[in-house]
Amino acid sequence: MIKPEAVECGNQGAIIDLLIMNRFNITRMKQFRFEEVEAERFYAMHKDKPFFSDLISYITSGSVIGLELEKENSIRLLRILVGATNPQEANPGTIRYMYGTSLQENAVHASDSSESAEKELAIVFSGA
Ligand code: CMP
């Protein structure tokens, strides 16, 4: 998922190009704005974290782009391409190194397992 600041800054095209160049097959894509309750379901695994309410305010602050991607070993390979959660710790060449600005405004979210991907895709593409 491409997060609000990356969409707002016009970095979505460059990020999608990187996905294509790295041979991720885009099977579904949707630009939308989260309702608060959907965002809370999407990030339910973080509900007890101190940053949860900031995360929900931020992710509902503007449009995001949800993408369903296909590739062998896609979860692992996408997380490598995306880089560390904190852009200051991300390796050069990764999406967060190039387009992230802070721990919160880190350009993209990538699912951490197939189970999370299934759940997150159901939320993003509900009603689509
Ligand atoms: P993401 O991969 O979307 O998953 C949860 C998000 O919470 C994470 O990226 C960060 O943008 C955000 N976040 C904010 N503060 C923290 C923190 N202290 N530790 C981890 N993630 C954080």
Side-chain angles (χ1 to χ4, degrees):
M1 178 172 78
I2 305 177
K3 295 189 179 183
E5 97 283 0
V7 175
E8 176 79 19
C9 294
N11 289 328
Q12 64 276 56
I15 293 170
I16 292 167
D17 272 351
L18 271 171
L19 296 171
I20 294 169
M21 283 189 290
N22 282 276
R23 308 216 175 132
F24 287 90
N25 185 29
I26 301 171
T27 44
R28 284 190 285 182
M29 178 158 73
K30 177 183 172 186
Q31 179 158 338
F32 68 104
R33 190 163 175 167
F34 271 117
E35 298 290 342
E36 204 171 305
V37 310
E38 286 176 327
E40 286 172 356
R41 278 174 52 222
F42 187 91
Y43 277 126
M45 76 289 262
H46 296 301
K47 71 177 185 323
D48 298 325
K49 307 267 173 64
F51 57 84
F52 186 67
S53 66
D54 283 348
L55 174 60
I56 299 305
S57 312
Y58 163 64
I59 212 70
T60 55
S61 68
S63 290
V64 299
I65 300 175
L67 297 114
E68 177 183 61
L69 303 173
E70 264 182 9
K71 183 179 168 79
E72 204 161 314
N73 292 317
S74 59
I75 300 276
R76 189 175 65 80
L77 295 176
L78 182 62
R79 288 177 76 78
I80 293 170
L81 178 63
V82 159
T85 305
N86 186 344
Q88 317 312 326
E89 292 164 11
N91 288 327
T94 62
I95 293 175
R96 284 174 171 158
Y97 177 91
M98 290 188 278
Y99 302 111
T101 53
S102 68
L103 190 48
Q104 179 160 274
E105 301 195 347
N106 62 354
V108 291
H109 165 84
S111 306
D112 62 6
S113 64
S114 341
E115 294 72 36
S116 312
E118 209 169 297
K119 187 192 128 201
E120 290 165 6
L121 287 166
I123 295 168
V124 166
F125 293 101
S126 63

mmCIF file of all heavy atoms in Angstrom, residues 3 43 46 51 55 85 96 103-104 106 108-110, ligand 1:
data_model
loop_
_atom_site.group_PDB
_atom_site.id
_atom_site.type_symbol
_atom_site.label_atom_id
_atom_site.label_comp_id
_atom_site.label_asym_id
_atom_site.label_seq_id
_atom_site.Cartn_x
_atom_site.Cartn_y
_atom_site.Cartn_z
ATOM 1 N N LYS A 3 1.306 5.003 0.909
ATOM 2 C CA LYS A 3 0.702 5.786 1.997
ATOM 3 C C LYS A 3 0.439 7.240 1.583
ATOM 4 O O LYS A 3 0.978 7.723 0.577
ATOM 5 C CB LYS A 3 1.631 5.720 3.209
ATOM 6 C CG LYS A 3 1.756 4.303 3.784
ATOM 7 C CD LYS A 3 2.504 4.346 5.100
ATOM 8 C CE LYS A 3 2.614 2.975 5.709
ATOM 9 N NZ LYS A 3 3.283 3.025 7.024
ATOM 10 N N TYR A 43 -4.956 -2.099 10.723
ATOM 11 C CA TYR A 43 -3.785 -2.061 11.611
ATOM 12 C C TYR A 43 -4.085 -2.648 12.990
ATOM 13 O O TYR A 43 -3.423 -2.290 13.961
ATOM 14 C CB TYR A 43 -3.299 -0.620 11.736
ATOM 15 C CG TYR A 43 -2.390 -0.171 10.593
ATOM 16 C CD1 TYR A 43 -2.671 0.974 9.857
ATOM 17 C CD2 TYR A 43 -1.236 -0.891 10.276
ATOM 18 C CE1 TYR A 43 -1.827 1.391 8.829
ATOM 19 C CE2 TYR A 43 -0.392 -0.482 9.257
ATOM 20 C CZ TYR A 43 -0.684 0.653 8.540
ATOM 21 O OH TYR A 43 0.166 1.054 7.530
ATOM 22 N N HIS A 46 -1.617 -3.573 15.741
ATOM 23 C CA HIS A 46 -0.880 -2.534 16.479
ATOM 24 C C HIS A 46 -1.767 -1.807 17.494
ATOM 25 O O HIS A 46 -1.377 -0.773 18.023
ATOM 26 C CB HIS A 46 -0.311 -1.499 15.497
ATOM 27 C CG HIS A 46 0.704 -2.073 14.561
ATOM 28 N ND1 HIS A 46 1.858 -2.680 14.998
ATOM 29 C CD2 HIS A 46 0.753 -2.127 13.197
ATOM 30 C CE1 HIS A 46 2.560 -3.090 13.955
ATOM 31 N NE2 HIS A 46 1.916 -2.778 12.859
ATOM 32 N N PHE A 51 1.774 4.195 19.443
ATOM 33 C CA PHE A 51 1.647 5.026 18.239
ATOM 34 C C PHE A 51 0.348 4.765 17.466
ATOM 35 O O PHE A 51 0.123 5.344 16.404
ATOM 36 C CB PHE A 51 2.860 4.827 17.307
ATOM 37 C CG PHE A 51 3.094 3.391 16.867
ATOM 38 C CD1 PHE A 51 2.418 2.857 15.778
ATOM 39 C CD2 PHE A 51 4.005 2.588 17.535
ATOM 40 C CE1 PHE A 51 2.634 1.546 15.368
ATOM 41 C CE2 PHE A 51 4.234 1.269 17.131
ATOM 42 C CZ PHE A 51 3.544 0.756 16.043
ATOM 43 N N LEU A 55 -1.057 6.668 14.140
ATOM 44 C CA LEU A 55 -1.031 5.883 12.898
ATOM 45 C C LEU A 55 -2.392 5.964 12.186
ATOM 46 O O LEU A 55 -2.458 6.170 10.969
ATOM 47 C CB LEU A 55 -0.662 4.428 13.241
ATOM 48 C CG LEU A 55 -0.700 3.384 12.136
ATOM 49 C CD1 LEU A 55 0.265 3.719 11.005
ATOM 50 C CD2 LEU A 55 -0.363 1.996 12.691
ATOM 51 N N THR A 85 11.517 -0.365 8.329
ATOM 52 C CA THR A 85 10.360 0.471 8.700
ATOM 53 C C THR A 85 10.761 1.935 8.836
ATOM 54 O O THR A 85 10.064 2.831 8.373
ATOM 55 C CB THR A 85 9.762 -0.026 10.042
ATOM 56 O OG1 THR A 85 9.449 -1.410 9.911
ATOM 57 C CG2 THR A 85 8.503 0.730 10.409
ATOM 58 N N ARG A 96 11.702 2.806 0.870
ATOM 59 C CA ARG A 96 11.632 3.704 2.031
ATOM 60 C C ARG A 96 12.865 4.613 2.115
ATOM 61 O O ARG A 96 12.754 5.744 2.577
ATOM 62 C CB ARG A 96 11.434 2.900 3.312
ATOM 63 C CG ARG A 96 9.978 2.413 3.423
ATOM 64 C CD ARG A 96 9.809 1.504 4.586
ATOM 65 N NE ARG A 96 8.419 1.192 4.855
ATOM 66 C CZ ARG A 96 8.037 0.125 5.535
ATOM 67 N NH1 ARG A 96 8.939 -0.727 5.994
ATOM 68 N NH2 ARG A 96 6.764 -0.106 5.757
ATOM 69 N N LEU A 103 9.526 7.624 10.471
ATOM 70 C CA LEU A 103 8.964 6.324 10.860
ATOM 71 C C LEU A 103 7.482 6.250 10.477
ATOM 72 O O LEU A 103 6.986 5.231 10.017
ATOM 73 C CB LEU A 103 9.153 6.169 12.377
ATOM 74 C CG LEU A 103 8.893 4.840 13.051
ATOM 75 C CD1 LEU A 103 9.565 3.682 12.332
ATOM 76 C CD2 LEU A 103 9.342 4.910 14.499
ATOM 77 N N GLN A 104 6.766 7.350 10.695
ATOM 78 C CA GLN A 104 5.345 7.362 10.346
ATOM 79 C C GLN A 104 5.150 7.546 8.837
ATOM 80 O O GLN A 104 4.392 6.813 8.212
ATOM 81 C CB GLN A 104 4.625 8.468 11.105
ATOM 82 C CG GLN A 104 3.155 8.541 10.758
ATOM 83 C CD GLN A 104 2.370 9.275 11.818
ATOM 84 O OE1 GLN A 104 1.931 8.709 12.805
ATOM 85 N NE2 GLN A 104 2.227 10.552 11.606
ATOM 86 N N ASN A 106 6.519 6.685 6.044
ATOM 87 C CA ASN A 106 7.543 5.815 5.456
ATOM 88 C C ASN A 106 7.124 5.253 4.093
ATOM 89 O O ASN A 106 7.544 4.170 3.699
ATOM 90 C CB ASN A 106 7.951 4.717 6.444
ATOM 91 C CG ASN A 106 6.821 3.783 6.819
ATOM 92 O OD1 ASN A 106 5.676 3.998 6.429
ATOM 93 N ND2 ASN A 106 7.123 2.743 7.567
ATOM 94 N N VAL A 108 5.366 3.450 2.222
ATOM 95 C CA VAL A 108 4.590 2.257 1.859
ATOM 96 C C VAL A 108 4.420 1.320 3.048
ATOM 97 O O VAL A 108 5.181 1.384 4.018
ATOM 98 C CB VAL A 108 5.284 1.465 0.712
ATOM 99 C CG1 VAL A 108 5.235 2.211 -0.608
ATOM 100 C CG2 VAL A 108 6.706 1.103 1.067
ATOM 101 N N HIS A 109 3.429 0.457 2.927
ATOM 102 C CA HIS A 109 3.241 -0.658 3.856
ATOM 103 C C HIS A 109 3.293 -1.936 3.035
ATOM 104 O O HIS A 109 2.727 -1.995 1.940
ATOM 105 C CB HIS A 109 1.865 -0.547 4.540
ATOM 106 C CG HIS A 109 1.459 -1.813 5.226
ATOM 107 N ND1 HIS A 109 1.877 -2.131 6.493
ATOM 108 C CD2 HIS A 109 0.708 -2.866 4.794
ATOM 109 C CE1 HIS A 109 1.387 -3.316 6.817
ATOM 110 N NE2 HIS A 109 0.674 -3.780 5.811
ATOM 111 N N ALA A 110 3.990 -2.963 3.538
ATOM 112 C CA ALA A 110 3.992 -4.273 2.871
ATOM 113 C C ALA A 110 3.558 -5.323 3.885
ATOM 114 O O ALA A 110 4.005 -5.297 5.041
ATOM 115 C CB ALA A 110 5.395 -4.592 2.360
HETATM 116 P P1 CMP B 1 3.796 -0.146 8.512
HETATM 117 O O1 CMP B 1 4.633 -1.162 7.817
HETATM 118 O O2 CMP B 1 2.688 0.459 7.760
HETATM 119 O O3 CMP B 1 3.188 -0.823 9.839
HETATM 120 C C1 CMP B 1 2.780 -0.048 10.957
HETATM 121 C C2 CMP B 1 3.262 1.363 10.874
HETATM 122 O O4 CMP B 1 3.304 2.070 12.099
HETATM 123 C C3 CMP B 1 4.706 1.371 10.410
HETATM 124 O O5 CMP B 1 4.761 1.024 9.043
HETATM 125 C C4 CMP B 1 5.138 2.797 10.746
HETATM 126 O O6 CMP B 1 4.885 3.710 9.687
HETATM 127 C C5 CMP B 1 4.211 3.171 11.905
HETATM 128 N N1 CMP B 1 4.928 3.450 13.128
HETATM 129 C C6 CMP B 1 4.854 4.592 13.817
HETATM 130 N N2 CMP B 1 5.615 4.532 14.923
HETATM 131 C C7 CMP B 1 6.182 3.318 14.950
HETATM 132 C C8 CMP B 1 7.088 2.657 15.843
HETATM 133 N N3 CMP B 1 7.545 3.250 16.953
HETATM 134 N N4 CMP B 1 7.476 1.396 15.535
HETATM 135 C C9 CMP B 1 7.004 0.775 14.414
HETATM 136 N N5 CMP B 1 6.138 1.354 13.536
HETATM 137 C C10 CMP B 1 5.744 2.611 13.791
#
